[in-house]
Amino acid sequence: MKSRYVKNADFKGSGEMRNIRKNSINKRQQLSSKIISGTNQIIVFINLFSILFYGFRLENLIVILISAVLFYIERKNLPEVVLFVLAYPLSWLFFIPLKNEEIEDFFNIPLPPEIRLNIDETVKSVLPVKTTIIIGDTTEKKAVTQKLVTYVTHGIDVEENMKYLRMLQKDPHMDIALYAGQAFEDIENYFEEQIAKSRNINDIESCLTIYNYLRTGIPKGVVRQDLENLLRAKMENVSNRLPEYYEIMYYLEKDENYFLKGYEVTKEPRLLKKYLLEKLRKREYNIVKAYLSETTRKLICEN
């Protein structure tokens, strides 16, 4: 029988072999990515020269589609592929390495989280809300529930944080589910009290209170309709020089042109970002392309 030291040596050796194989696979993937990228660059430049000397033909469109496929194989990111095609003939710029993932920041694409289950207890207090909901104990989940109430009542990521509260309300632990149910009641009481106090006041703060309450999804039916009508009436007396004015009007009217008008008036980058994302969602790529200059990209990514 092998001693435990021999077993440990065997385990260490097998671990080193796995690392070697893993490194080898990573190197092959990197090499494959460089080959695809290099080939695609050549195709792009040849296609550009062809368009320059012979004009745009059907063959050029087919080559653009081939480049887009290669670009997707390399990046595995559909929004980047859309920008790659829309930016033609400047698509060669996408092969220049960026210090920051600006395109991912532009579309606010969430990256898959790497959750380690072996987490030191002293670190759990600073974990993100979503991670705490997954791996936290009863005390931590109760604490994060109260934190979510504070976020929602202050208008911070209302829809997302309400989604987390609904997840906690379905928690198998009865105490947590009851605590989350109480959080819903606290949020409802807070907003109803604030709306009652400011019902006859027509300023942006009172409008934001109603707006954030509607975003929680708590008001239903006739109550919701009454609140929307009250908000519309209040908005008639609010200055249109404020970015929040255009966010609220979009919410009420579902017209993304409010975002564009708001950007033109206030120069607030997040309004332009929301406008372009709405147009992208509706597949109105020509409009997105018209606003996708280097200046606006940097402006939105830095916001």
Side-chain angles (χ1 to χ4, degrees), residues 33 36-37 40-41 67-81 84 91-98 100-104 109 111 297:
S33 178
I36 293 173
S37 179
N40 207 4
Q41 289 183 54
S67 291
V69 171
L70 291 175
F71 194 74
Y72 179 77
I73 293 172
E74 179 196 353
R75 302 292 182 95
K76 298 293 191 301
N77 191 314
L78 188 57
E80 286 192 30
V81 175
F84 178 84
S91 296
W92 56 272
L93 292 171
F94 285 77
F95 297 107
I96 299 175
L98 298 174
N100 300 310
E101 292 296 331
E102 291 186 356
I103 297 175
E104 288 185 354
I109 299 170
L111 299 177
R297 267 187 64 191

PDB file of all heavy atoms in Angstrom, residues 33 36-37 40-41 67-81 84 91-98 100-104 109 111 297:
ATOM      1  N   SER A  33      -7.340  32.097 -32.303  1.00  0.00           N
ATOM      2  CA  SER A  33      -7.965  33.418 -32.334  1.00  0.00           C
ATOM      3  C   SER A  33      -7.137  34.410 -33.140  1.00  0.00           C
ATOM      4  O   SER A  33      -7.680  35.203 -33.917  1.00  0.00           O
ATOM      5  CB  SER A  33      -8.147  33.928 -30.894  1.00  0.00           C
ATOM      6  OG  SER A  33      -8.704  35.211 -30.892  1.00  0.00           O
ATOM      7  N   ILE A  36      -7.573  33.627 -36.880  1.00  0.00           N
ATOM      8  CA  ILE A  36      -8.872  34.093 -37.373  1.00  0.00           C
ATOM      9  C   ILE A  36      -8.870  35.617 -37.514  1.00  0.00           C
ATOM     10  O   ILE A  36      -9.325  36.167 -38.522  1.00  0.00           O
ATOM     11  CB  ILE A  36     -10.003  33.644 -36.428  1.00  0.00           C
ATOM     12  CG1 ILE A  36     -10.144  32.130 -36.462  1.00  0.00           C
ATOM     13  CG2 ILE A  36     -11.325  34.302 -36.823  1.00  0.00           C
ATOM     14  CD1 ILE A  36     -11.124  31.577 -35.443  1.00  0.00           C
ATOM     15  N   SER A  37      -8.320  36.304 -36.499  1.00  0.00           N
ATOM     16  CA  SER A  37      -8.276  37.763 -36.526  1.00  0.00           C
ATOM     17  C   SER A  37      -7.419  38.264 -37.677  1.00  0.00           C
ATOM     18  O   SER A  37      -7.806  39.188 -38.406  1.00  0.00           O
ATOM     19  CB  SER A  37      -7.740  38.293 -35.193  1.00  0.00           C
ATOM     20  OG  SER A  37      -7.667  39.702 -35.209  1.00  0.00           O
ATOM     21  N   ASN A  40      -9.127  37.686 -40.959  1.00  0.00           N
ATOM     22  CA  ASN A  40     -10.243  38.613 -41.121  1.00  0.00           C
ATOM     23  C   ASN A  40      -9.756  40.010 -41.492  1.00  0.00           C
ATOM     24  O   ASN A  40     -10.372  40.708 -42.303  1.00  0.00           O
ATOM     25  CB  ASN A  40     -11.068  38.668 -39.831  1.00  0.00           C
ATOM     26  CG  ASN A  40     -12.518  39.049 -40.094  1.00  0.00           C
ATOM     27  OD1 ASN A  40     -12.930  39.203 -41.235  1.00  0.00           O
ATOM     28  ND2 ASN A  40     -13.288  39.176 -39.041  1.00  0.00           N
ATOM     29  N   GLN A  41      -8.659  40.437 -40.890  1.00  0.00           N
ATOM     30  CA  GLN A  41      -8.099  41.747 -41.242  1.00  0.00           C
ATOM     31  C   GLN A  41      -7.732  41.800 -42.724  1.00  0.00           C
ATOM     32  O   GLN A  41      -8.017  42.787 -43.411  1.00  0.00           O
ATOM     33  CB  GLN A  41      -6.855  42.013 -40.393  1.00  0.00           C
ATOM     34  CG  GLN A  41      -7.149  42.292 -38.935  1.00  0.00           C
ATOM     35  CD  GLN A  41      -5.902  42.611 -38.140  1.00  0.00           C
ATOM     36  OE1 GLN A  41      -5.143  43.494 -38.506  1.00  0.00           O
ATOM     37  NE2 GLN A  41      -5.675  41.872 -37.072  1.00  0.00           N
ATOM     38  N   SER A  67     -16.870  38.152 -43.153  1.00  0.00           N
ATOM     39  CA  SER A  67     -16.068  38.810 -42.113  1.00  0.00           C
ATOM     40  C   SER A  67     -16.829  38.858 -40.789  1.00  0.00           C
ATOM     41  O   SER A  67     -16.244  38.664 -39.720  1.00  0.00           O
ATOM     42  CB  SER A  67     -15.693  40.224 -42.541  1.00  0.00           C
ATOM     43  OG  SER A  67     -14.766  40.214 -43.603  1.00  0.00           O
ATOM     44  N   ALA A  68     -18.129  39.118 -40.881  1.00  0.00           N
ATOM     45  CA  ALA A  68     -18.942  39.186 -39.663  1.00  0.00           C
ATOM     46  C   ALA A  68     -18.984  37.831 -38.961  1.00  0.00           C
ATOM     47  O   ALA A  68     -18.906  37.757 -37.725  1.00  0.00           O
ATOM     48  CB  ALA A  68     -20.357  39.650 -40.001  1.00  0.00           C
ATOM     49  N   VAL A  69     -19.093  36.762 -39.745  1.00  0.00           N
ATOM     50  CA  VAL A  69     -19.092  35.406 -39.168  1.00  0.00           C
ATOM     51  C   VAL A  69     -17.757  35.118 -38.481  1.00  0.00           C
ATOM     52  O   VAL A  69     -17.716  34.608 -37.352  1.00  0.00           O
ATOM     53  CB  VAL A  69     -19.381  34.356 -40.254  1.00  0.00           C
ATOM     54  CG1 VAL A  69     -19.173  32.941 -39.701  1.00  0.00           C
ATOM     55  CG2 VAL A  69     -20.799  34.505 -40.770  1.00  0.00           C
ATOM     56  N   LEU A  70     -16.648  35.444 -39.148  1.00  0.00           N
ATOM     57  CA  LEU A  70     -15.329  35.243 -38.552  1.00  0.00           C
ATOM     58  C   LEU A  70     -15.162  36.081 -37.288  1.00  0.00           C
ATOM     59  O   LEU A  70     -14.572  35.625 -36.293  1.00  0.00           O
ATOM     60  CB  LEU A  70     -14.237  35.597 -39.563  1.00  0.00           C
ATOM     61  CG  LEU A  70     -14.088  34.663 -40.775  1.00  0.00           C
ATOM     62  CD1 LEU A  70     -13.056  35.221 -41.754  1.00  0.00           C
ATOM     63  CD2 LEU A  70     -13.689  33.268 -40.324  1.00  0.00           C
ATOM     64  N   PHE A  71     -15.680  37.295 -37.330  1.00  0.00           N
ATOM     65  CA  PHE A  71     -15.586  38.183 -36.170  1.00  0.00           C
ATOM     66  C   PHE A  71     -16.364  37.601 -34.988  1.00  0.00           C
ATOM     67  O   PHE A  71     -15.921  37.669 -33.834  1.00  0.00           O
ATOM     68  CB  PHE A  71     -16.142  39.564 -36.538  1.00  0.00           C
ATOM     69  CG  PHE A  71     -15.804  40.645 -35.560  1.00  0.00           C
ATOM     70  CD1 PHE A  71     -14.521  41.170 -35.491  1.00  0.00           C
ATOM     71  CD2 PHE A  71     -16.762  41.137 -34.694  1.00  0.00           C
ATOM     72  CE1 PHE A  71     -14.204  42.169 -34.581  1.00  0.00           C
ATOM     73  CE2 PHE A  71     -16.459  42.136 -33.774  1.00  0.00           C
ATOM     74  CZ  PHE A  71     -15.169  42.647 -33.721  1.00  0.00           C
ATOM     75  N   TYR A  72     -17.530  36.996 -35.283  1.00  0.00           N
ATOM     76  CA  TYR A  72     -18.322  36.377 -34.214  1.00  0.00           C
ATOM     77  C   TYR A  72     -17.619  35.147 -33.654  1.00  0.00           C
ATOM     78  O   TYR A  72     -17.618  34.922 -32.440  1.00  0.00           O
ATOM     79  CB  TYR A  72     -19.703  35.984 -34.733  1.00  0.00           C
ATOM     80  CG  TYR A  72     -20.549  35.309 -33.675  1.00  0.00           C
ATOM     81  CD1 TYR A  72     -21.172  36.055 -32.681  1.00  0.00           C
ATOM     82  CD2 TYR A  72     -20.693  33.926 -33.654  1.00  0.00           C
ATOM     83  CE1 TYR A  72     -21.935  35.450 -31.686  1.00  0.00           C
ATOM     84  CE2 TYR A  72     -21.442  33.308 -32.664  1.00  0.00           C
ATOM     85  CZ  TYR A  72     -22.059  34.075 -31.687  1.00  0.00           C
ATOM     86  OH  TYR A  72     -22.799  33.459 -30.704  1.00  0.00           O
ATOM     87  N   ILE A  73     -17.007  34.348 -34.522  1.00  0.00           N
ATOM     88  CA  ILE A  73     -16.272  33.164 -34.059  1.00  0.00           C
ATOM     89  C   ILE A  73     -15.147  33.565 -33.117  1.00  0.00           C
ATOM     90  O   ILE A  73     -14.881  32.886 -32.120  1.00  0.00           O
ATOM     91  CB  ILE A  73     -15.710  32.374 -35.266  1.00  0.00           C
ATOM     92  CG1 ILE A  73     -16.862  31.771 -36.082  1.00  0.00           C
ATOM     93  CG2 ILE A  73     -14.740  31.278 -34.811  1.00  0.00           C
ATOM     94  CD1 ILE A  73     -16.427  31.141 -37.380  1.00  0.00           C
ATOM     95  N   GLU A  74     -14.502  34.686 -33.426  1.00  0.00           N
ATOM     96  CA  GLU A  74     -13.387  35.148 -32.591  1.00  0.00           C
ATOM     97  C   GLU A  74     -13.873  35.764 -31.288  1.00  0.00           C
ATOM     98  O   GLU A  74     -13.341  35.460 -30.211  1.00  0.00           O
ATOM     99  CB  GLU A  74     -12.566  36.186 -33.358  1.00  0.00           C
ATOM    100  CG  GLU A  74     -11.405  36.739 -32.551  1.00  0.00           C
ATOM    101  CD  GLU A  74     -10.834  38.013 -33.137  1.00  0.00           C
ATOM    102  OE1 GLU A  74     -11.253  38.408 -34.244  1.00  0.00           O
ATOM    103  OE2 GLU A  74      -9.976  38.620 -32.479  1.00  0.00           O
ATOM    104  N   ARG A  75     -14.912  36.638 -31.337  1.00  0.00           N
ATOM    105  CA  ARG A  75     -15.317  37.417 -30.162  1.00  0.00           C
ATOM    106  C   ARG A  75     -16.453  36.780 -29.367  1.00  0.00           C
ATOM    107  O   ARG A  75     -16.605  37.071 -28.181  1.00  0.00           O
ATOM    108  CB  ARG A  75     -15.743  38.824 -30.585  1.00  0.00           C
ATOM    109  CG  ARG A  75     -14.680  39.619 -31.325  1.00  0.00           C
ATOM    110  CD  ARG A  75     -13.523  39.986 -30.426  1.00  0.00           C
ATOM    111  NE  ARG A  75     -12.533  40.781 -31.137  1.00  0.00           N
ATOM    112  CZ  ARG A  75     -12.494  42.100 -31.119  1.00  0.00           C
ATOM    113  NH1 ARG A  75     -13.389  42.780 -30.434  1.00  0.00           N
ATOM    114  NH2 ARG A  75     -11.558  42.755 -31.786  1.00  0.00           N
ATOM    115  N   LYS A  76     -17.327  35.987 -30.041  1.00  0.00           N
ATOM    116  CA  LYS A  76     -18.504  35.395 -29.393  1.00  0.00           C
ATOM    117  C   LYS A  76     -19.378  36.471 -28.736  1.00  0.00           C
ATOM    118  O   LYS A  76     -19.861  36.326 -27.622  1.00  0.00           O
ATOM    119  CB  LYS A  76     -18.069  34.371 -28.323  1.00  0.00           C
ATOM    120  CG  LYS A  76     -17.291  33.187 -28.867  1.00  0.00           C
ATOM    121  CD  LYS A  76     -18.145  32.308 -29.730  1.00  0.00           C
ATOM    122  CE  LYS A  76     -17.456  30.985 -30.066  1.00  0.00           C
ATOM    123  NZ  LYS A  76     -16.184  31.120 -30.750  1.00  0.00           N
ATOM    124  N   ASN A  77     -19.566  37.577 -29.470  1.00  0.00           N
ATOM    125  CA  ASN A  77     -20.307  38.706 -28.911  1.00  0.00           C
ATOM    126  C   ASN A  77     -21.151  39.324 -30.020  1.00  0.00           C
ATOM    127  O   ASN A  77     -20.636  40.020 -30.896  1.00  0.00           O
ATOM    128  CB  ASN A  77     -19.329  39.727 -28.323  1.00  0.00           C
ATOM    129  CG  ASN A  77     -20.041  40.787 -27.503  1.00  0.00           C
ATOM    130  OD1 ASN A  77     -21.047  41.329 -27.936  1.00  0.00           O
ATOM    131  ND2 ASN A  77     -19.523  41.067 -26.324  1.00  0.00           N
ATOM    132  N   LEU A  78     -22.463  39.048 -29.999  1.00  0.00           N
ATOM    133  CA  LEU A  78     -23.351  39.492 -31.077  1.00  0.00           C
ATOM    134  C   LEU A  78     -23.440  41.005 -31.216  1.00  0.00           C
ATOM    135  O   LEU A  78     -23.403  41.523 -32.340  1.00  0.00           O
ATOM    136  CB  LEU A  78     -24.747  38.892 -30.885  1.00  0.00           C
ATOM    137  CG  LEU A  78     -25.730  39.103 -32.041  1.00  0.00           C
ATOM    138  CD1 LEU A  78     -25.171  38.550 -33.338  1.00  0.00           C
ATOM    139  CD2 LEU A  78     -27.080  38.458 -31.719  1.00  0.00           C
ATOM    140  N   PRO A  79     -23.567  41.795 -30.106  1.00  0.00           N
ATOM    141  CA  PRO A  79     -23.608  43.257 -30.268  1.00  0.00           C
ATOM    142  C   PRO A  79     -22.364  43.811 -30.958  1.00  0.00           C
ATOM    143  O   PRO A  79     -22.460  44.746 -31.759  1.00  0.00           O
ATOM    144  CB  PRO A  79     -23.717  43.764 -28.824  1.00  0.00           C
ATOM    145  CG  PRO A  79     -24.384  42.659 -28.087  1.00  0.00           C
ATOM    146  CD  PRO A  79     -23.842  41.410 -28.705  1.00  0.00           C
ATOM    147  N   GLU A  80     -21.189  43.243 -30.668  1.00  0.00           N
ATOM    148  CA  GLU A  80     -19.975  43.709 -31.338  1.00  0.00           C
ATOM    149  C   GLU A  80     -20.037  43.404 -32.834  1.00  0.00           C
ATOM    150  O   GLU A  80     -19.559  44.187 -33.657  1.00  0.00           O
ATOM    151  CB  GLU A  80     -18.738  43.049 -30.716  1.00  0.00           C
ATOM    152  CG  GLU A  80     -18.376  43.584 -29.351  1.00  0.00           C
ATOM    153  CD  GLU A  80     -17.003  43.127 -28.902  1.00  0.00           C
ATOM    154  OE1 GLU A  80     -16.145  42.919 -29.782  1.00  0.00           O
ATOM    155  OE2 GLU A  80     -16.788  42.976 -27.700  1.00  0.00           O
ATOM    156  N   VAL A  81     -20.625  42.247 -33.184  1.00  0.00           N
ATOM    157  CA  VAL A  81     -20.762  41.892 -34.598  1.00  0.00           C
ATOM    158  C   VAL A  81     -21.663  42.891 -35.316  1.00  0.00           C
ATOM    159  O   VAL A  81     -21.376  43.312 -36.442  1.00  0.00           O
ATOM    160  CB  VAL A  81     -21.322  40.456 -34.742  1.00  0.00           C
ATOM    161  CG1 VAL A  81     -21.576  40.131 -36.212  1.00  0.00           C
ATOM    162  CG2 VAL A  81     -20.361  39.441 -34.152  1.00  0.00           C
ATOM    163  N   PHE A  84     -19.727  45.921 -35.831  1.00  0.00           N
ATOM    164  CA  PHE A  84     -18.714  45.627 -36.848  1.00  0.00           C
ATOM    165  C   PHE A  84     -19.280  45.828 -38.249  1.00  0.00           C
ATOM    166  O   PHE A  84     -18.648  46.429 -39.125  1.00  0.00           O
ATOM    167  CB  PHE A  84     -18.213  44.192 -36.661  1.00  0.00           C
ATOM    168  CG  PHE A  84     -17.203  43.739 -37.683  1.00  0.00           C
ATOM    169  CD1 PHE A  84     -15.860  44.046 -37.525  1.00  0.00           C
ATOM    170  CD2 PHE A  84     -17.587  43.001 -38.796  1.00  0.00           C
ATOM    171  CE1 PHE A  84     -14.920  43.628 -38.457  1.00  0.00           C
ATOM    172  CE2 PHE A  84     -16.656  42.581 -39.730  1.00  0.00           C
ATOM    173  CZ  PHE A  84     -15.318  42.895 -39.565  1.00  0.00           C
ATOM    174  N   SER A  91     -14.499  49.101 -40.161  1.00  0.00           N
ATOM    175  CA  SER A  91     -14.479  47.923 -39.296  1.00  0.00           C
ATOM    176  C   SER A  91     -13.076  47.506 -38.892  1.00  0.00           C
ATOM    177  O   SER A  91     -12.897  46.818 -37.887  1.00  0.00           O
ATOM    178  CB  SER A  91     -15.184  46.755 -39.994  1.00  0.00           C
ATOM    179  OG  SER A  91     -16.544  47.061 -40.195  1.00  0.00           O
ATOM    180  N   TRP A  92     -12.062  47.913 -39.661  1.00  0.00           N
ATOM    181  CA  TRP A  92     -10.688  47.544 -39.312  1.00  0.00           C
ATOM    182  C   TRP A  92     -10.287  48.129 -37.955  1.00  0.00           C
ATOM    183  O   TRP A  92      -9.376  47.623 -37.291  1.00  0.00           O
ATOM    184  CB  TRP A  92      -9.719  48.025 -40.394  1.00  0.00           C
ATOM    185  CG  TRP A  92      -9.776  49.494 -40.676  1.00  0.00           C
ATOM    186  CD1 TRP A  92     -10.581  50.129 -41.561  1.00  0.00           C
ATOM    187  CD2 TRP A  92      -9.030  50.526 -40.029  1.00  0.00           C
ATOM    188  NE1 TRP A  92     -10.381  51.482 -41.532  1.00  0.00           N
ATOM    189  CE2 TRP A  92      -9.424  51.761 -40.603  1.00  0.00           C
ATOM    190  CE3 TRP A  92      -8.040  50.533 -39.038  1.00  0.00           C
ATOM    191  CZ2 TRP A  92      -8.878  52.968 -40.210  1.00  0.00           C
ATOM    192  CZ3 TRP A  92      -7.490  51.740 -38.640  1.00  0.00           C
ATOM    193  CH2 TRP A  92      -7.900  52.929 -39.219  1.00  0.00           C
ATOM    194  N   LEU A  93     -11.003  49.186 -37.512  1.00  0.00           N
ATOM    195  CA  LEU A  93     -10.707  49.771 -36.204  1.00  0.00           C
ATOM    196  C   LEU A  93     -10.979  48.793 -35.066  1.00  0.00           C
ATOM    197  O   LEU A  93     -10.393  48.898 -33.988  1.00  0.00           O
ATOM    198  CB  LEU A  93     -11.540  51.034 -35.993  1.00  0.00           C
ATOM    199  CG  LEU A  93     -11.200  52.242 -36.887  1.00  0.00           C
ATOM    200  CD1 LEU A  93     -12.246  53.336 -36.712  1.00  0.00           C
ATOM    201  CD2 LEU A  93      -9.813  52.777 -36.543  1.00  0.00           C
ATOM    202  N   PHE A  94     -11.882  47.822 -35.310  1.00  0.00           N
ATOM    203  CA  PHE A  94     -12.233  46.876 -34.266  1.00  0.00           C
ATOM    204  C   PHE A  94     -11.106  45.892 -33.966  1.00  0.00           C
ATOM    205  O   PHE A  94     -11.147  45.189 -32.961  1.00  0.00           O
ATOM    206  CB  PHE A  94     -13.489  46.089 -34.662  1.00  0.00           C
ATOM    207  CG  PHE A  94     -14.751  46.888 -34.536  1.00  0.00           C
ATOM    208  CD1 PHE A  94     -15.089  47.842 -35.483  1.00  0.00           C
ATOM    209  CD2 PHE A  94     -15.597  46.705 -33.467  1.00  0.00           C
ATOM    210  CE1 PHE A  94     -16.249  48.580 -35.369  1.00  0.00           C
ATOM    211  CE2 PHE A  94     -16.766  47.444 -33.342  1.00  0.00           C
ATOM    212  CZ  PHE A  94     -17.090  48.385 -34.294  1.00  0.00           C
ATOM    213  N   PHE A  95     -10.114  45.818 -34.830  1.00  0.00           N
ATOM    214  CA  PHE A  95      -8.991  44.910 -34.597  1.00  0.00           C
ATOM    215  C   PHE A  95      -7.895  45.567 -33.763  1.00  0.00           C
ATOM    216  O   PHE A  95      -6.920  44.921 -33.399  1.00  0.00           O
ATOM    217  CB  PHE A  95      -8.404  44.436 -35.929  1.00  0.00           C
ATOM    218  CG  PHE A  95      -9.378  43.635 -36.744  1.00  0.00           C
ATOM    219  CD1 PHE A  95      -9.974  44.172 -37.882  1.00  0.00           C
ATOM    220  CD2 PHE A  95      -9.725  42.351 -36.355  1.00  0.00           C
ATOM    221  CE1 PHE A  95     -10.871  43.432 -38.626  1.00  0.00           C
ATOM    222  CE2 PHE A  95     -10.640  41.613 -37.101  1.00  0.00           C
ATOM    223  CZ  PHE A  95     -11.207  42.149 -38.233  1.00  0.00           C
ATOM    224  N   ILE A  96      -8.068  46.874 -33.470  1.00  0.00           N
ATOM    225  CA  ILE A  96      -7.093  47.567 -32.620  1.00  0.00           C
ATOM    226  C   ILE A  96      -7.413  47.244 -31.170  1.00  0.00           C
ATOM    227  O   ILE A  96      -8.526  47.478 -30.715  1.00  0.00           O
ATOM    228  CB  ILE A  96      -7.153  49.090 -32.853  1.00  0.00           C
ATOM    229  CG1 ILE A  96      -6.822  49.409 -34.321  1.00  0.00           C
ATOM    230  CG2 ILE A  96      -6.193  49.802 -31.910  1.00  0.00           C
ATOM    231  CD1 ILE A  96      -6.972  50.879 -34.672  1.00  0.00           C
ATOM    232  N   PRO A  97      -6.481  46.695 -30.396  1.00  0.00           N
ATOM    233  CA  PRO A  97      -6.751  46.344 -29.000  1.00  0.00           C
ATOM    234  C   PRO A  97      -7.114  47.571 -28.182  1.00  0.00           C
ATOM    235  O   PRO A  97      -6.513  48.629 -28.333  1.00  0.00           O
ATOM    236  CB  PRO A  97      -5.420  45.741 -28.507  1.00  0.00           C
ATOM    237  CG  PRO A  97      -4.675  45.377 -29.745  1.00  0.00           C
ATOM    238  CD  PRO A  97      -5.098  46.357 -30.804  1.00  0.00           C
ATOM    239  N   LEU A  98      -8.148  47.427 -27.328  1.00  0.00           N
ATOM    240  CA  LEU A  98      -8.580  48.519 -26.463  1.00  0.00           C
ATOM    241  C   LEU A  98      -8.124  48.260 -25.031  1.00  0.00           C
ATOM    242  O   LEU A  98      -8.046  47.129 -24.587  1.00  0.00           O
ATOM    243  CB  LEU A  98     -10.113  48.619 -26.479  1.00  0.00           C
ATOM    244  CG  LEU A  98     -10.737  48.936 -27.843  1.00  0.00           C
ATOM    245  CD1 LEU A  98     -12.245  48.861 -27.731  1.00  0.00           C
ATOM    246  CD2 LEU A  98     -10.318  50.306 -28.331  1.00  0.00           C
ATOM    247  N   ASN A 100      -9.781  49.208 -22.429  1.00  0.00           N
ATOM    248  CA  ASN A 100     -10.986  48.826 -21.707  1.00  0.00           C
ATOM    249  C   ASN A 100     -11.953  48.195 -22.688  1.00  0.00           C
ATOM    250  O   ASN A 100     -11.913  48.473 -23.885  1.00  0.00           O
ATOM    251  CB  ASN A 100     -11.661  50.035 -21.044  1.00  0.00           C
ATOM    252  CG  ASN A 100     -10.748  50.704 -20.054  1.00  0.00           C
ATOM    253  OD1 ASN A 100     -10.171  50.042 -19.209  1.00  0.00           O
ATOM    254  ND2 ASN A 100     -10.620  52.020 -20.165  1.00  0.00           N
ATOM    255  N   GLU A 101     -12.844  47.328 -22.180  1.00  0.00           N
ATOM    256  CA  GLU A 101     -13.847  46.710 -23.031  1.00  0.00           C
ATOM    257  C   GLU A 101     -14.952  47.728 -23.277  1.00  0.00           C
ATOM    258  O   GLU A 101     -16.048  47.647 -22.718  1.00  0.00           O
ATOM    259  CB  GLU A 101     -14.384  45.441 -22.360  1.00  0.00           C
ATOM    260  CG  GLU A 101     -13.370  44.320 -22.269  1.00  0.00           C
ATOM    261  CD  GLU A 101     -12.961  43.823 -23.648  1.00  0.00           C
ATOM    262  OE1 GLU A 101     -13.763  43.908 -24.581  1.00  0.00           O
ATOM    263  OE2 GLU A 101     -11.825  43.372 -23.781  1.00  0.00           O
ATOM    264  N   GLU A 102     -14.676  48.727 -24.128  1.00  0.00           N
ATOM    265  CA  GLU A 102     -15.603  49.839 -24.307  1.00  0.00           C
ATOM    266  C   GLU A 102     -16.926  49.401 -24.911  1.00  0.00           C
ATOM    267  O   GLU A 102     -17.972  49.910 -24.554  1.00  0.00           O
ATOM    268  CB  GLU A 102     -14.961  50.914 -25.184  1.00  0.00           C
ATOM    269  CG  GLU A 102     -13.807  51.633 -24.498  1.00  0.00           C
ATOM    270  CD  GLU A 102     -13.287  52.776 -25.341  1.00  0.00           C
ATOM    271  OE1 GLU A 102     -13.766  52.941 -26.466  1.00  0.00           O
ATOM    272  OE2 GLU A 102     -12.401  53.489 -24.873  1.00  0.00           O
ATOM    273  N   ILE A 103     -16.857  48.439 -25.852  1.00  0.00           N
ATOM    274  CA  ILE A 103     -18.095  48.036 -26.502  1.00  0.00           C
ATOM    275  C   ILE A 103     -18.990  47.316 -25.510  1.00  0.00           C
ATOM    276  O   ILE A 103     -20.199  47.521 -25.473  1.00  0.00           O
ATOM    277  CB  ILE A 103     -17.788  47.135 -27.721  1.00  0.00           C
ATOM    278  CG1 ILE A 103     -16.989  47.940 -28.755  1.00  0.00           C
ATOM    279  CG2 ILE A 103     -19.062  46.594 -28.338  1.00  0.00           C
ATOM    280  CD1 ILE A 103     -16.536  47.145 -29.938  1.00  0.00           C
ATOM    281  N   GLU A 104     -18.399  46.466 -24.650  1.00  0.00           N
ATOM    282  CA  GLU A 104     -19.192  45.783 -23.640  1.00  0.00           C
ATOM    283  C   GLU A 104     -19.761  46.784 -22.650  1.00  0.00           C
ATOM    284  O   GLU A 104     -20.896  46.665 -22.200  1.00  0.00           O
ATOM    285  CB  GLU A 104     -18.357  44.724 -22.924  1.00  0.00           C
ATOM    286  CG  GLU A 104     -18.061  43.521 -23.810  1.00  0.00           C
ATOM    287  CD  GLU A 104     -17.336  42.417 -23.053  1.00  0.00           C
ATOM    288  OE1 GLU A 104     -16.978  42.655 -21.882  1.00  0.00           O
ATOM    289  OE2 GLU A 104     -17.153  41.346 -23.622  1.00  0.00           O
ATOM    290  N   ILE A 109     -23.228  44.915 -21.092  1.00  0.00           N
ATOM    291  CA  ILE A 109     -23.432  43.475 -21.158  1.00  0.00           C
ATOM    292  C   ILE A 109     -22.872  42.839 -19.902  1.00  0.00           C
ATOM    293  O   ILE A 109     -21.700  42.994 -19.603  1.00  0.00           O
ATOM    294  CB  ILE A 109     -22.727  42.884 -22.395  1.00  0.00           C
ATOM    295  CG1 ILE A 109     -23.319  43.509 -23.659  1.00  0.00           C
ATOM    296  CG2 ILE A 109     -22.868  41.383 -22.436  1.00  0.00           C
ATOM    297  CD1 ILE A 109     -22.569  43.191 -24.901  1.00  0.00           C
ATOM    298  N   LEU A 111     -21.108  40.256 -17.609  1.00  0.00           N
ATOM    299  CA  LEU A 111     -20.215  39.141 -17.790  1.00  0.00           C
ATOM    300  C   LEU A 111     -20.576  38.038 -16.802  1.00  0.00           C
ATOM    301  O   LEU A 111     -20.990  38.314 -15.677  1.00  0.00           O
ATOM    302  CB  LEU A 111     -18.762  39.585 -17.566  1.00  0.00           C
ATOM    303  CG  LEU A 111     -18.265  40.663 -18.520  1.00  0.00           C
ATOM    304  CD1 LEU A 111     -16.844  41.059 -18.153  1.00  0.00           C
ATOM    305  CD2 LEU A 111     -18.317  40.179 -19.954  1.00  0.00           C
ATOM    306  N   ARG A 297     -19.299  57.516 -28.753  1.00  0.00           N
ATOM    307  CA  ARG A 297     -18.924  56.242 -28.106  1.00  0.00           C
ATOM    308  C   ARG A 297     -18.172  56.504 -26.820  1.00  0.00           C
ATOM    309  O   ARG A 297     -18.459  55.925 -25.771  1.00  0.00           O
ATOM    310  CB  ARG A 297     -18.062  55.396 -29.048  1.00  0.00           C
ATOM    311  CG  ARG A 297     -18.841  54.407 -29.879  1.00  0.00           C
ATOM    312  CD  ARG A 297     -17.908  53.505 -30.656  1.00  0.00           C
ATOM    313  NE  ARG A 297     -17.107  52.694 -29.774  1.00  0.00           N
ATOM    314  CZ  ARG A 297     -16.073  51.967 -30.169  1.00  0.00           C
ATOM    315  NH1 ARG A 297     -15.695  52.005 -31.416  1.00  0.00           N
ATOM    316  NH2 ARG A 297     -15.412  51.212 -29.323  1.00  0.00           N
TER     317      ARG A 297
END
